Amino acid sequence: MSARVGIHDLAVATAAHVLDLGDLATAAGIDPAKYRVGLGQEQMSVPGPDEDVVTMAAAAAAPILARHGADGIRTLFFATESGIDQSKAAGVFVHRLLGLPASCRVVELKQACYSATAALQAAADMVARRPEDRVLVIASDIARYDLDSAAEATQGAGAVAMLVAADPAIAEVEAAAGVFTADVDDFWRPNDSATAVVDGKLSIGAYLDGMIGAWDDYRARGGVAIDAIDRFCHHQPFTKMAVKAHRRLGEHVGVDLGAESMAASTGYNRRIGNSYTASLYLALAALLDTDDDLAGRRVGMFSYGSGSVSELFTLVVAEGYRAHTRGAETEALLAARTPVDVARYRELHAAAASLGSHDDAEVAQESAGPFHFTGIAGRARQYRRA
Ligand code: CAA
């Protein structure tokens, strides 16, 4: 890659409601410290009936278009685990909601929590080939597990949109990357299931194995040594997982990496919960928004998607990045969520699982967000801008 290519803008969205995990623990008769300390989670975002991956994706991307316009955006990659149709890309709805030009290719990518990283890499390669093009990469997911399961406290919902361009204002994506794929049944979601099937303990081991495999491949492909990486973002199904990953990577390379080189990356995920494809990029957003000493620094990014595919790559943060980050906007979004109690959360969870694609249904507007899912007509999902 000759020209500098990377993330020119990045914006976040989440769902309208929030559940305090202390309340969830108390209702289940579990010590709240298990969630707060053991998992490293405080809250989780809970979508209302009129929200899904499309509405969150459009909400994340809208501020990027407001700042930069749509000129040059010839590709929209939509990365998700929780897609809403077996055939049509969720990004096509977003393309209309955002008023993107017809001369734009749109495609959805799937591999559990990993596919936004494949999208980012493909976008960077496209822009390297045609530097006048820009690519909109959107990661949007709702993490849903069964009620009363061990995984319940690791649910959440969020989206991150990134504009990939030449001469990026936020961070360059470096060319070296390490990848690792292993067929493992640690987490998956059958076509007829609204919730994921997961073997939690197996998934933690598979994540750590994937990280080591990706790191070794990264080094074999010309990636820099560990001491040339200044900060780390690891995929965060729950933030304690990133702490485990950081420790494990340090053991593997024989260096104490220190918690401070990844701590700032957990600020949003701790309050939003798992957002699958968006999780790693929420970690990046949190790092960019809270660490004001990143200019010129290299950030190691570890992406894991159960099943499993892993990738480790690096970013170099641009000079002047602080002028382009959106920390105040993200804080405002988090603060604007409506708290729900456990009873309401359980109703919302059940309602999400029960709305079938065969229904003709109208969904009342409940959230204050800019985009709404309004129901199903003739088996097709309907959306509108508020
Ligand atoms: N005070 C403080 N800590 C406590 C505690 C208390 N009272 N009680 C328990 N803990 C600690 C435990 O010691 C443990 O910490 P360590 O792992 O550091 O030892 C932690 O809290 C969790 O306790 P358990 O292991 O007993 O928890 P569990 O088995 O009930 O559930 C889980 C944990 C397996 C992660 C479950 O939440 C789950 O299945 N989650 C979904 C799967 C997942 O997120 N996997 C991560 C890797 S896969 C991936 O990354 C892809 C993806 O996004 C899904």
PDB file of all heavy atoms in Angstrom, residues 3 39 53 60 78 129 139 152 191 193 197 207 260 268 277-278 280 294 328 349 353 360 371 374:
ATOM      1  N   ALA A   3       0.022   4.863  -0.752  1.00  0.00           N
ATOM      2  CA  ALA A   3      -0.547   6.039  -0.082  1.00  0.00           C
ATOM      3  C   ALA A   3      -0.990   5.660   1.326  1.00  0.00           C
ATOM      4  O   ALA A   3      -1.235   4.498   1.619  1.00  0.00           O
ATOM      5  CB  ALA A   3      -1.740   6.544  -0.878  1.00  0.00           C
ATOM      6  N   LEU A  39     -16.879  -9.983  35.049  1.00  0.00           N
ATOM      7  CA  LEU A  39     -17.008  -9.808  33.596  1.00  0.00           C
ATOM      8  C   LEU A  39     -16.553  -8.420  33.145  1.00  0.00           C
ATOM      9  O   LEU A  39     -16.325  -8.194  31.958  1.00  0.00           O
ATOM     10  CB  LEU A  39     -18.459 -10.024  33.145  1.00  0.00           C
ATOM     11  CG  LEU A  39     -19.058 -11.418  33.364  1.00  0.00           C
ATOM     12  CD1 LEU A  39     -20.517 -11.449  32.896  1.00  0.00           C
ATOM     13  CD2 LEU A  39     -18.258 -12.501  32.635  1.00  0.00           C
ATOM     14  N   VAL A  53     -30.514  -3.671  13.655  1.00  0.00           N
ATOM     15  CA  VAL A  53     -29.168  -3.344  13.167  1.00  0.00           C
ATOM     16  C   VAL A  53     -29.195  -2.278  12.085  1.00  0.00           C
ATOM     17  O   VAL A  53     -28.230  -1.520  11.923  1.00  0.00           O
ATOM     18  CB  VAL A  53     -28.414  -4.600  12.662  1.00  0.00           C
ATOM     19  CG1 VAL A  53     -28.101  -5.531  13.832  1.00  0.00           C
ATOM     20  CG2 VAL A  53     -29.166  -5.320  11.555  1.00  0.00           C
ATOM     21  N   ALA A  60     -25.474   5.556  13.174  1.00  0.00           N
ATOM     22  CA  ALA A  60     -24.015   5.716  13.305  1.00  0.00           C
ATOM     23  C   ALA A  60     -23.431   6.446  12.095  1.00  0.00           C
ATOM     24  O   ALA A  60     -22.528   7.274  12.240  1.00  0.00           O
ATOM     25  CB  ALA A  60     -23.354   4.344  13.477  1.00  0.00           C
ATOM     26  N   PHE A  78     -21.545  -3.630   5.015  1.00  0.00           N
ATOM     27  CA  PHE A  78     -22.340  -3.756   6.246  1.00  0.00           C
ATOM     28  C   PHE A  78     -21.930  -5.063   6.914  1.00  0.00           C
ATOM     29  O   PHE A  78     -22.185  -6.155   6.391  1.00  0.00           O
ATOM     30  CB  PHE A  78     -23.831  -3.770   5.912  1.00  0.00           C
ATOM     31  CG  PHE A  78     -24.731  -3.565   7.106  1.00  0.00           C
ATOM     32  CD1 PHE A  78     -25.496  -2.421   7.242  1.00  0.00           C
ATOM     33  CD2 PHE A  78     -24.831  -4.525   8.102  1.00  0.00           C
ATOM     34  CE1 PHE A  78     -26.332  -2.222   8.333  1.00  0.00           C
ATOM     35  CE2 PHE A  78     -25.656  -4.337   9.200  1.00  0.00           C
ATOM     36  CZ  PHE A  78     -26.414  -3.184   9.322  1.00  0.00           C
ATOM     37  N   ARG A 129      -6.150   1.266  -4.196  1.00  0.00           N
ATOM     38  CA  ARG A 129      -6.162   1.108  -5.655  1.00  0.00           C
ATOM     39  C   ARG A 129      -6.756   2.336  -6.347  1.00  0.00           C
ATOM     40  O   ARG A 129      -6.338   2.731  -7.421  1.00  0.00           O
ATOM     41  CB  ARG A 129      -6.986  -0.139  -6.001  1.00  0.00           C
ATOM     42  CG  ARG A 129      -6.613  -0.823  -7.286  1.00  0.00           C
ATOM     43  CD  ARG A 129      -6.758  -2.337  -7.204  1.00  0.00           C
ATOM     44  NE  ARG A 129      -8.082  -2.769  -6.827  1.00  0.00           N
ATOM     45  CZ  ARG A 129      -9.006  -3.205  -7.682  1.00  0.00           C
ATOM     46  NH1 ARG A 129      -8.753  -3.222  -8.978  1.00  0.00           N
ATOM     47  NH2 ARG A 129     -10.171  -3.615  -7.248  1.00  0.00           N
ATOM     48  N   ALA A 139     -20.431  -1.497  11.102  1.00  0.00           N
ATOM     49  CA  ALA A 139     -20.575  -2.708  11.920  1.00  0.00           C
ATOM     50  C   ALA A 139     -21.761  -2.461  12.846  1.00  0.00           C
ATOM     51  O   ALA A 139     -21.792  -1.444  13.543  1.00  0.00           O
ATOM     52  CB  ALA A 139     -19.314  -2.928  12.742  1.00  0.00           C
ATOM     53  N   GLU A 152     -26.310 -14.345  29.497  1.00  0.00           N
ATOM     54  CA  GLU A 152     -27.287 -13.238  29.462  1.00  0.00           C
ATOM     55  C   GLU A 152     -26.650 -11.882  29.780  1.00  0.00           C
ATOM     56  O   GLU A 152     -26.983 -10.869  29.170  1.00  0.00           O
ATOM     57  CB  GLU A 152     -28.427 -13.531  30.445  1.00  0.00           C
ATOM     58  CG  GLU A 152     -29.521 -12.476  30.394  1.00  0.00           C
ATOM     59  CD  GLU A 152     -30.681 -12.799  31.337  1.00  0.00           C
ATOM     60  OE1 GLU A 152     -30.501 -13.599  32.279  1.00  0.00           O
ATOM     61  OE2 GLU A 152     -31.776 -12.234  31.121  1.00  0.00           O
ATOM     62  N   ASN A 191     -30.215 -20.782  11.737  1.00  0.00           N
ATOM     63  CA  ASN A 191     -31.094 -19.883  10.974  1.00  0.00           C
ATOM     64  C   ASN A 191     -32.436 -19.625  11.645  1.00  0.00           C
ATOM     65  O   ASN A 191     -33.045 -18.586  11.438  1.00  0.00           O
ATOM     66  CB  ASN A 191     -31.344 -20.456   9.574  1.00  0.00           C
ATOM     67  CG  ASN A 191     -30.174 -20.180   8.649  1.00  0.00           C
ATOM     68  OD1 ASN A 191     -29.336 -19.342   8.956  1.00  0.00           O
ATOM     69  ND2 ASN A 191     -30.109 -20.888   7.543  1.00  0.00           N
ATOM     70  N   SER A 193     -33.025 -19.342  14.863  1.00  0.00           N
ATOM     71  CA  SER A 193     -32.886 -18.918  16.255  1.00  0.00           C
ATOM     72  C   SER A 193     -32.561 -17.428  16.370  1.00  0.00           C
ATOM     73  O   SER A 193     -31.658 -16.916  15.695  1.00  0.00           O
ATOM     74  CB  SER A 193     -31.768 -19.732  16.928  1.00  0.00           C
ATOM     75  OG  SER A 193     -31.623 -19.316  18.255  1.00  0.00           O
ATOM     76  N   VAL A 197     -26.233 -19.744  20.185  1.00  0.00           N
ATOM     77  CA  VAL A 197     -25.881 -20.943  20.947  1.00  0.00           C
ATOM     78  C   VAL A 197     -24.406 -20.794  21.299  1.00  0.00           C
ATOM     79  O   VAL A 197     -23.603 -20.463  20.424  1.00  0.00           O
ATOM     80  CB  VAL A 197     -26.071 -22.219  20.091  1.00  0.00           C
ATOM     81  CG1 VAL A 197     -25.778 -23.463  20.913  1.00  0.00           C
ATOM     82  CG2 VAL A 197     -27.461 -22.264  19.483  1.00  0.00           C
ATOM     83  N   TYR A 207     -10.969 -18.045  21.576  1.00  0.00           N
ATOM     84  CA  TYR A 207     -10.577 -16.631  21.386  1.00  0.00           C
ATOM     85  C   TYR A 207      -9.073 -16.487  21.639  1.00  0.00           C
ATOM     86  O   TYR A 207      -8.337 -15.892  20.834  1.00  0.00           O
ATOM     87  CB  TYR A 207     -11.407 -15.783  22.352  1.00  0.00           C
ATOM     88  CG  TYR A 207     -11.091 -14.301  22.456  1.00  0.00           C
ATOM     89  CD1 TYR A 207     -12.076 -13.347  22.213  1.00  0.00           C
ATOM     90  CD2 TYR A 207      -9.841 -13.837  22.857  1.00  0.00           C
ATOM     91  CE1 TYR A 207     -11.817 -11.981  22.339  1.00  0.00           C
ATOM     92  CE2 TYR A 207      -9.570 -12.482  22.987  1.00  0.00           C
ATOM     93  CZ  TYR A 207     -10.563 -11.566  22.737  1.00  0.00           C
ATOM     94  OH  TYR A 207     -10.301 -10.221  22.866  1.00  0.00           O
ATOM     95  N   GLU A 260      -2.350  -0.623  31.583  1.00  0.00           N
ATOM     96  CA  GLU A 260      -2.637   0.744  31.131  1.00  0.00           C
ATOM     97  C   GLU A 260      -2.602   0.883  29.602  1.00  0.00           C
ATOM     98  O   GLU A 260      -3.201   1.806  29.053  1.00  0.00           O
ATOM     99  CB  GLU A 260      -1.715   1.776  31.805  1.00  0.00           C
ATOM    100  CG  GLU A 260      -0.240   1.655  31.569  1.00  0.00           C
ATOM    101  CD  GLU A 260       0.415   0.483  32.333  1.00  0.00           C
ATOM    102  OE1 GLU A 260      -0.236  -0.214  33.138  1.00  0.00           O
ATOM    103  OE2 GLU A 260       1.610   0.275  32.087  1.00  0.00           O
ATOM    104  N   TYR A 268     -16.464   2.266  26.602  1.00  0.00           N
ATOM    105  CA  TYR A 268     -17.808   2.184  26.000  1.00  0.00           C
ATOM    106  C   TYR A 268     -18.390   0.777  26.119  1.00  0.00           C
ATOM    107  O   TYR A 268     -19.579   0.614  26.414  1.00  0.00           O
ATOM    108  CB  TYR A 268     -17.774   2.624  24.538  1.00  0.00           C
ATOM    109  CG  TYR A 268     -17.434   4.087  24.340  1.00  0.00           C
ATOM    110  CD1 TYR A 268     -16.784   4.529  23.197  1.00  0.00           C
ATOM    111  CD2 TYR A 268     -17.761   5.044  25.309  1.00  0.00           C
ATOM    112  CE1 TYR A 268     -16.468   5.872  23.012  1.00  0.00           C
ATOM    113  CE2 TYR A 268     -17.446   6.385  25.142  1.00  0.00           C
ATOM    114  CZ  TYR A 268     -16.804   6.800  23.989  1.00  0.00           C
ATOM    115  OH  TYR A 268     -16.497   8.128  23.811  1.00  0.00           O
ATOM    116  N   THR A 277     -19.769  -7.389  15.964  1.00  0.00           N
ATOM    117  CA  THR A 277     -18.850  -6.793  14.965  1.00  0.00           C
ATOM    118  C   THR A 277     -18.397  -5.389  15.359  1.00  0.00           C
ATOM    119  O   THR A 277     -17.309  -4.952  14.977  1.00  0.00           O
ATOM    120  CB  THR A 277     -19.522  -6.676  13.586  1.00  0.00           C
ATOM    121  OG1 THR A 277     -20.764  -5.975  13.735  1.00  0.00           O
ATOM    122  CG2 THR A 277     -19.781  -8.027  12.960  1.00  0.00           C
ATOM    123  N   ALA A 278     -19.251  -4.668  16.086  1.00  0.00           N
ATOM    124  CA  ALA A 278     -18.916  -3.280  16.422  1.00  0.00           C
ATOM    125  C   ALA A 278     -17.995  -3.183  17.629  1.00  0.00           C
ATOM    126  O   ALA A 278     -17.365  -2.142  17.858  1.00  0.00           O
ATOM    127  CB  ALA A 278     -20.197  -2.482  16.677  1.00  0.00           C
ATOM    128  N   LEU A 280     -15.023  -4.260  18.685  1.00  0.00           N
ATOM    129  CA  LEU A 280     -13.608  -3.865  18.582  1.00  0.00           C
ATOM    130  C   LEU A 280     -13.493  -2.381  18.214  1.00  0.00           C
ATOM    131  O   LEU A 280     -12.587  -1.679  18.678  1.00  0.00           O
ATOM    132  CB  LEU A 280     -12.902  -4.732  17.528  1.00  0.00           C
ATOM    133  CG  LEU A 280     -11.454  -4.360  17.228  1.00  0.00           C
ATOM    134  CD1 LEU A 280     -10.559  -4.527  18.455  1.00  0.00           C
ATOM    135  CD2 LEU A 280     -10.919  -5.225  16.077  1.00  0.00           C
ATOM    136  N   LEU A 294      -2.163  10.091  21.587  1.00  0.00           N
ATOM    137  CA  LEU A 294      -2.071   8.984  20.629  1.00  0.00           C
ATOM    138  C   LEU A 294      -1.422   9.373  19.306  1.00  0.00           C
ATOM    139  O   LEU A 294      -1.130   8.492  18.495  1.00  0.00           O
ATOM    140  CB  LEU A 294      -3.479   8.432  20.326  1.00  0.00           C
ATOM    141  CG  LEU A 294      -4.206   7.713  21.467  1.00  0.00           C
ATOM    142  CD1 LEU A 294      -5.618   7.325  21.015  1.00  0.00           C
ATOM    143  CD2 LEU A 294      -3.438   6.466  21.897  1.00  0.00           C
ATOM    144  N   ALA A 328     -17.814  13.641  22.829  1.00  0.00           N
ATOM    145  CA  ALA A 328     -18.952  14.308  23.471  1.00  0.00           C
ATOM    146  C   ALA A 328     -20.267  13.768  22.909  1.00  0.00           C
ATOM    147  O   ALA A 328     -21.234  13.546  23.647  1.00  0.00           O
ATOM    148  CB  ALA A 328     -18.854  15.815  23.253  1.00  0.00           C
ATOM    149  N   HIS A 349     -37.005  -8.405  25.280  1.00  0.00           N
ATOM    150  CA  HIS A 349     -36.259  -9.568  24.794  1.00  0.00           C
ATOM    151  C   HIS A 349     -37.226 -10.570  24.158  1.00  0.00           C
ATOM    152  O   HIS A 349     -36.999 -11.073  23.047  1.00  0.00           O
ATOM    153  CB  HIS A 349     -35.507 -10.207  25.964  1.00  0.00           C
ATOM    154  CG  HIS A 349     -34.526 -11.269  25.576  1.00  0.00           C
ATOM    155  ND1 HIS A 349     -34.916 -12.530  25.155  1.00  0.00           N
ATOM    156  CD2 HIS A 349     -33.166 -11.273  25.550  1.00  0.00           C
ATOM    157  CE1 HIS A 349     -33.843 -13.251  24.896  1.00  0.00           C
ATOM    158  NE2 HIS A 349     -32.766 -12.511  25.129  1.00  0.00           N
ATOM    159  N   ALA A 353     -37.861 -11.820  19.960  1.00  0.00           N
ATOM    160  CA  ALA A 353     -37.782 -13.201  19.487  1.00  0.00           C
ATOM    161  C   ALA A 353     -39.082 -13.637  18.817  1.00  0.00           C
ATOM    162  O   ALA A 353     -39.088 -14.537  17.983  1.00  0.00           O
ATOM    163  CB  ALA A 353     -37.460 -14.126  20.657  1.00  0.00           C
ATOM    164  N   ASP A 360     -47.636  -9.584   9.090  1.00  0.00           N
ATOM    165  CA  ASP A 360     -47.833  -8.193   8.702  1.00  0.00           C
ATOM    166  C   ASP A 360     -48.020  -7.486  10.023  1.00  0.00           C
ATOM    167  O   ASP A 360     -48.952  -7.797  10.775  1.00  0.00           O
ATOM    168  CB  ASP A 360     -49.090  -8.035   7.833  1.00  0.00           C
ATOM    169  CG  ASP A 360     -48.729  -8.126   6.362  1.00  0.00           C
ATOM    170  OD1 ASP A 360     -47.675  -7.588   5.979  1.00  0.00           O
ATOM    171  OD2 ASP A 360     -49.498  -8.756   5.610  1.00  0.00           O
ATOM    172  N   PHE A 371     -33.821   7.006  13.218  1.00  0.00           N
ATOM    173  CA  PHE A 371     -34.349   6.043  12.235  1.00  0.00           C
ATOM    174  C   PHE A 371     -35.182   4.990  12.966  1.00  0.00           C
ATOM    175  O   PHE A 371     -34.853   4.613  14.094  1.00  0.00           O
ATOM    176  CB  PHE A 371     -33.195   5.357  11.482  1.00  0.00           C
ATOM    177  CG  PHE A 371     -32.326   6.342  10.751  1.00  0.00           C
ATOM    178  CD1 PHE A 371     -31.165   6.840  11.338  1.00  0.00           C
ATOM    179  CD2 PHE A 371     -32.685   6.809   9.492  1.00  0.00           C
ATOM    180  CE1 PHE A 371     -30.374   7.774  10.679  1.00  0.00           C
ATOM    181  CE2 PHE A 371     -31.896   7.748   8.823  1.00  0.00           C
ATOM    182  CZ  PHE A 371     -30.732   8.224   9.422  1.00  0.00           C
ATOM    183  N   THR A 374     -40.495   0.251  11.230  1.00  0.00           N
ATOM    184  CA  THR A 374     -41.927   0.543  11.416  1.00  0.00           C
ATOM    185  C   THR A 374     -42.806  -0.691  11.281  1.00  0.00           C
ATOM    186  O   THR A 374     -44.010  -0.594  11.497  1.00  0.00           O
ATOM    187  CB  THR A 374     -42.402   1.616  10.418  1.00  0.00           C
ATOM    188  OG1 THR A 374     -42.159   1.137   9.088  1.00  0.00           O
ATOM    189  CG2 THR A 374     -41.672   2.930  10.656  1.00  0.00           C
TER     190      THR A 374
END
